[in-house]
Structure formats: C-alpha cells, structure tokens
Amino acid sequence: MPDQTANNPPHGDDLDPPTPPTEQPGIVTAVDSNELGAVTIHPPKDNGLLLGPTTALKIAGIGSSSVYGLGSQAHSAASGEQFLAIQFAPMPAITTALSTTTDPGRLASVYLSGPTQTIVVGAARHPVGNIPTDGTKTLIVSVPKGVPVRFEVTDEGRPLSYDLRQATRAPLPEEQPLIERKIRLR
C-alpha cells in the first residue's frame, strides 16, 4: 500500500507558527501602535499623569508580553525577559515662567530646557529619547521578569516616577521613608 503522506503532503495548517527572532535584553524602542500583535494594553490604575514644571505626560496604558510585533516583524523576549509596552496619550504641555524682558509680575510663555526620560530597571537606567505621545507609537522595553520597573522623568531637577509594574505613580526613593512614617502614624 503506498504511503498516504507522499500523495498528500502536509499543508502546514496543523503546524505551530515559527518562533520570532529573539531580541537583545534591555532594548528600548518605539513601534507603531497598530503593529503590537499579541500585546494587550491595560489602562493604568490611577490617572496616569506625570506633571512637572515643563512636563505634562499621561500614560494611557501598559501591557506585557513575551512577543510583540506582527508577521516577519515579530520579536521574542530573551530568556528570563519580557516586553513592557507603554502608550502615552496626547496631552499639550503648556509652560510659563517669569520673564526678565516682561513687565514685573507678568507671565510670558517661554521654551524651557526639556525634561529627561529614563526607564529604571532595578538599579539599571536606560535613557529614552523622544516620547511618542501622539498615540501612534508605543514604547517597548525589554526587562527581566519580576524586577521593579519605573518610568522616570527629571524636569528642572525635579524627579517624577511611575511604577510600570503596578501601573501607578511611584514614590521616589527619598519619599519612601516619609510615606512609611505617615503609615505608622495612622
């Protein structure tokens, strides 16, 4: 009796899709939001706002996955890593400052030095360039599983911090003892 598989080769319908190529640990990149693939984005637990002297950022959603991307543009996380996806909502930043060229006490709009953004993974710091806040891009970060991760903005020397694991505004390390004292007083 002839071999049925020789006459009827497999069509591939029952094969698992190939594993996407593995990304290097610690990558920070922005991708098109409509090309995230299997990443599910969830809204933050709080309002997602980070407000500073020249900063007005709103984290619209956070997701995690071992794979991101579609088709040939898909990527797998390295062993022991996962991808965090952070989406920012469009929000205009309006800054004003006292101007030396304006009448005393009057406000003048000025461009101030821009804030710096950093992804803090445990003790490691990964600078982030321009934040994709128009809703068309999603920030992708490869991080070790289970390690604390914060999005930190330093705006005119003032740090702002957002816990990406808990999806809430994070107390800064110097605020922690004060928070613990307040909890003990209650």
Side-chain angles (χ1 to χ4, degrees), residues 26-74:
I27 64 132
V28 177
T29 189
V31 300
D32 288 334
S33 293
N34 59 357
E35 295 178 5
L36 288 177
V39 181
T40 302
I41 302 293
H42 301 282
K45 294 176 185 172
D46 59 11
N47 61 15
L49 291 175
L50 289 171
L51 301 173
T54 66
T55 300
L57 286 173
K58 179 172 176 54
I59 293 176
I62 302 169
S64 63
S65 180
S66 61
V67 176
Y68 80 88
L70 299 170
S72 65
Q73 299 301 310

Side-chain angles (χ1 to χ4, degrees), residues 103-130:
D103 294 333
R106 296 201 48 200
L107 293 177
S109 292
V110 295
Y111 293 100
L112 301 174
S113 60
T116 60
Q117 300 91 21
T118 306
I119 298 290
V120 182
V121 182
R125 301 179 69 78
H126 303 279
V128 177
N130 293 329

Side-chain angles (χ1 to χ4, degrees), residues 91-111:
M91 186 172 183
I94 301 170
T95 61
T96 58
L98 288 174
S99 169
T100 57
T101 60
T102 329
D103 294 333
R106 296 201 48 200
L107 293 177
S109 292
V110 295
Y111 293 100

Side-chain angles (χ1 to χ4, degrees), residues 171 175-186:
E175 294 174 338
Q176 195 61 40
L178 178 62
I179 291 169
E180 290 170 358
R181 280 197 309 262
K182 285 182 179 179
I183 291 172
R184 281 191 296 246
L185 291 174
R186 289 184 179 165

